[in-house]
Amino acid sequence: MDQDSAAAAFAALSREPIRTGTDYIDSLRGRKLRVYLMGDAVVEPVDHPIIRPSINAVAETYDLAIENPEVASVMSPLTGERINRFLHIATSPTELVMQNKMQRRLGQLTGTCFQRCVGMDALNALHSVTYDLDQKYGTGYHSRFNAFLGRIQRENVVIGGAMTDVKGDRGKSPSEQADPDLFVRVTKRTKQGVYISGAKAHQTGCLNSHWLIVMPTMRLDVGDKDYAIVGAVPVDAEGITYIYGRQSCDTRSAEDGSIDAGNARFSGQEAMIVFEDVFVPLEHVFMDGEVEFASSLVERFTCYHRRSYVCKTGVGDVLIGAAATIADYNGVERASHIRDKLVEMTHLNETIYGAGIAASHQGTGMKSGACLPDEMLANVCKHHVTRLPYEIGRLAQDLAGGLMVTLPSERELRHETIGPIIEKYLKGRPEIATEDRIRILRLLENMTLGRNAVGYLTESMHGAGSPQAQRIQIARSMQIEFKKELAKSLAGISSASLAEIENDLSTYMARVFAPVRN
Ligand code: SF4
Ligand code: FE
């Protein structure tokens, strides 16, 4: 970034930097948002009992940066100051790995989706895509992007990366849809900027963000020019409506007491975002009409995001801990089959982490200076995530026992007549309070069937692309011809030398054998 654009970015500073989780929560108050939840317009999301736990989860990303700056903050080459890691462009494999370590820690602290990685991964992908766009077309997107980046780093705000369109008929391209709004598109262009309409589906943490970066969701053709739009809009821009997604057992968060919610403090958040002629000023437009770059953006974003799913290993740590705790409370922790199930859960959890962190370790530098994780390993990581948390969840339920889904409510526990009966008959080991046993069972329910199963299971399946999307990427990079040559050479079918075979190396294998750098 040159000095002029850095100066411009700082001149645009419009809010005091947010420091703590409490500052962050305060920063969300008083916005003019149009939000619907269960048929009602929500006046202040911050105070809504169903929404608040998701805000608390994002607040942890601020507090961690203060409590553990090495993990969750970093020096920004753009501002020369220490900034939250979620707003940093990783320039080395080490910095990608540190993103993963931060994600695992936050998963451990919240037991849910802390929502901030979509923005981080969008910023990282856009850094190299806007650079490449400018190289090809001399468009100036990269300096605009850097000006925006400097500003948000300084202000320490939350960015939501909005990619997934509602998509309509999956067999048709955006411009072929019966309704043109089924993918977000430009409806009007003026000298000052563009207007966009359409909807983004199940957008993680959108209400808890300060800005949304809208991006195309898939490869586009020449006829889809109006759909090749990337732009940043404030979440409370005129013309945006949020329709909040229900989560399993979400109304428990609105009940009295803290037991039945399972994890009363934290949850994830998804909502549908509807854009009706929302204005995006030119300074916040980072792509407009360059259809051939849509696929690079989607591929790079998913490459970052699919290895970001090591977040689930932090959540898995909590679930394994909950399963071990209930075994302990039941007096069976030392039984060999219980130990074995805990070992299996750990093995599965670390398998996800291993693939994710390896994807980061094997990152490669882009021309813009950003570092991109290894595509093959990022896809393998996310593909594990579509399956292994289900097995970890199954084992957790195995250890929990049926009581997990048949427990009476907290009201019965507190009831004058029924409470003592519950105390007596739901006791495990005598030295463990019945209430504690109930609490850990409710947490297990929360993570495998309730609010946080949204993030731990189904979101693991479909977030950052459903399983088939990863299989397509893995198929593209698996270099089966190269592997056949290896086999033929050893079987004496082909006499090609290893040197000749290696000449064919491209993509994934080339990275496997590339020297390690930091
Ligand atoms: Fe981050 Fe995981 Fe939530 Fe995605 S699902 S935003 S990677 S915590
Ligand atoms: Fe996600």
Side-chain angles (χ1 to χ4, degrees):
M1 187 183 197
D2 61 44
Q3 273 191 336
D4 286 351
S5 38
F10 291 124
L13 183 69
S14 65
R15 64 160 78 229
E16 281 298 304
I18 299 169
R19 284 192 70 252
T20 66
T22 306
D23 292 347
Y24 160 71
I25 293 170
D26 288 344
S27 79
L28 299 183
R29 288 189 183 279
R31 300 177 298 169
K32 280 193 229 121
L33 293 169
R34 191 160 179 246
V35 185
Y36 284 88
L37 170 52
M38 294 173 69
D40 293 324
V42 177
V43 180
E44 180 51 87
V46 176
D47 296 324
H48 196 291
I50 292 180
I51 299 176
R52 182 54 179 267
S54 70
I55 294 174
N56 293 341
V58 180
E60 289 294 297
T61 68
Y62 285 89
D63 288 335
L64 184 68
I66 295 169
E67 285 153 22
N68 196 338
E70 213 172 313
V71 167
S73 74
V74 63
M75 280 300 292
S76 166
L78 212 49
T79 65
E81 289 170 28
R82 230 177 154 80
I83 59 160
N84 193 292
R85 194 178 288 285
F86 280 105
L87 296 168
H88 178 61
I89 305 300
T91 56
S92 68
T94 306
E95 288 187 341
L96 290 174
V97 168
M98 288 310 295
Q99 291 179 344
N100 287 146
K101 289 179 190 274
M102 170 177 74
Q103 288 161 326
R104 185 160 185 171
R105 186 74 184 122
L106 284 164
Q108 293 174 340
L109 292 172
T110 61
T112 190
C113 165
F114 38 86
Q115 308 147 51
R116 223 172 154 183
C117 326
V118 266
M120 177 179 78
D121 296 334
L123 293 171
N124 276 265
L126 277 168
H127 192 268
S128 64
V129 171
T130 53
Y131 183 93
D132 294 352
L133 262 164
D134 287 359
Q135 291 293 300
K136 180 152 181 198
Y137 293 117
T139 32
Y141 291 129
H142 191 61
S143 51
R144 274 185 206 171
F145 172 77
N146 271 335
F148 177 69
L149 185 65
R151 172 185 176 171
I152 59 173
Q153 287 184 347
R154 180 91 181 84
E155 294 177 359
N156 195 12
V157 286
V158 175
I159 305 298
M163 182 167 267
T164 308
D165 288 291
V166 290
K167 295 198 196 92
D169 182 342
R170 270 62 175 168
K172 295 201 164 108
S173 73
S175 52
E176 290 167 354
Q177 299 288 331
D179 180 339
D181 291 339
L182 293 176
F183 289 76
V184 170
R185 67 187 175 114
V186 175
T187 52
K188 192 166 84 174
R189 289 181 178 82
T190 66
K191 276 194 189 139
Q192 286 73 38
V194 303
Y195 290 79
I196 57 170
S197 286
K200 293 289 183 186
H202 35 73
Q203 182 57 46
T204 297
C206 50
L207 287 175
N208 301 342
S209 305
H210 299 94
W211 290 87
L212 299 170
I213 299 184
V214 173
M215 301 172 284
T217 199
M218 58 187 234
R219 172 182 295 273
L220 298 172
D221 295 325
V222 274
D224 300 323
K225 245 173 169 288
D226 289 339
Y227 296 88
I229 180 71
V230 177
V233 287
V235 286
D236 52 358
E238 210 183 315
I240 303 183
T241 304
Y242 299 88
I243 307 169
Y244 210 89
R246 286 215 69 173
Q247 294 175 326
S248 169
C249 309
D250 52 4
T251 47
R252 291 192 192 186
S253 302
E255 294 172 5
D256 292 338
S258 62
I259 296 180
D260 291 356
N263 179 348
R265 278 174 65 205
F266 300 118
S267 78
Q269 172 185 93
E270 273 84 25
M272 182 192 287
I273 315 173
V274 180
F275 299 88
E276 288 168 296
D277 288 321
V278 175
F279 178 62
V280 190
L282 275 191
E283 71 206 87
H284 294 149
V285 172
F286 309 130
M287 179 194 291
D288 180 16
E290 295 85 2
V291 282
E292 73 276 29
F293 280 88
S295 57
S296 317
L297 176 58
V298 173
E299 277 164 27
R300 287 180 205 173
F301 172 75
T302 51
C303 188
Y304 285 105
H305 204 42
R306 287 179 185 166
R307 56 91 232 196
S308 279
Y309 272 71
V310 299
C311 67
K312 306 299 177 199
T313 63
V315 181
D317 290 330
V318 178
L319 188 54
I320 294 166
T325 303
I326 193 61
D328 177 25
Y329 288 0
N330 288 342
V332 293
E333 197 182 18
R334 294 227 177 90
S336 66
H337 70 100
I338 302 284
R339 296 292 302 169
D340 194 52
K341 281 168 188 155
L342 293 171
V343 168
E344 176 65 9
M345 292 165 86
T346 304
H347 157 68
L348 296 171
N349 204 40
E350 299 301 337
T351 300
I352 295 169
Y353 190 64
I357 208 156
S360 294
H361 266 297
Q362 216 163 266
T364 48
M366 309 297 285
K367 287 197 197 109
S368 73
C371 189
L372 185 71
D374 185 281
E375 189 188 47
M376 169 67 91
L377 295 175
N379 277 283
V380 168
C381 172
K382 175 68 216 317
H383 207 51
H384 281 320
V385 171
T386 65
R387 296 192 283 203
L388 307 191
Y390 286 87
E391 179 61 8
I392 297 171
R394 190 186 73 78
L395 289 163
Q397 292 192 354
D398 180 349
L399 296 194
L403 195 54
M404 188 190 108
V405 288
T406 60
L407 276 173
S409 74
E410 182 173 353
R411 284 189 194 157
E412 270 73 48
L413 183 68
R414 308 284 181 227
H415 193 275
E416 204 180 328
T417 327
I418 302 298
I421 300 174
I422 290 174
E423 287 278 356
K424 175 181 166 76
Y425 287 110
L426 292 188
K427 193 119 193 117
R429 279 170 50 214
E431 60 273 34
I432 304 296
T434 302
E435 180 176 324
D436 290 351
R437 185 163 177 254
I438 292 174
R439 280 186 178 276
I440 206 74
L441 286 166
R442 285 291 179 212
L443 178 63
L444 284 154
E445 180 196 33
N446 167 276
M447 298 181 79
T448 61
L449 292 168
R451 283 202 87 173
N452 289 323
V454 172
Y456 189 59
L457 299 180
T458 314
E459 204 270 341
S460 287
M461 173 82 84
H462 294 293
S466 306
Q468 192 57 23
Q470 290 111 54
R471 295 186 88 83
I472 290 167
Q473 294 290 106
I474 290 168
R476 259 190 222 153
S477 311
M478 69 180 174
Q479 293 184 268
I480 214 71
E481 289 309 316
F482 164 68
K483 290 168 186 171
K484 277 159 73 179
E485 286 306 320
L486 290 176
K488 285 180 192 169
S489 169
L490 285 180
I493 298 168
S494 135
S495 57
S497 70
L498 195 59
E500 281 172 289
I501 298 171
E502 282 181 350
N503 279 341
D504 280 345
L505 291 187
S506 60
T507 59
Y508 179 55
M509 282 301 155
R511 293 195 295 278
V512 167
F513 296 117
V516 175
R517 67 185 189 91
N518 277 313

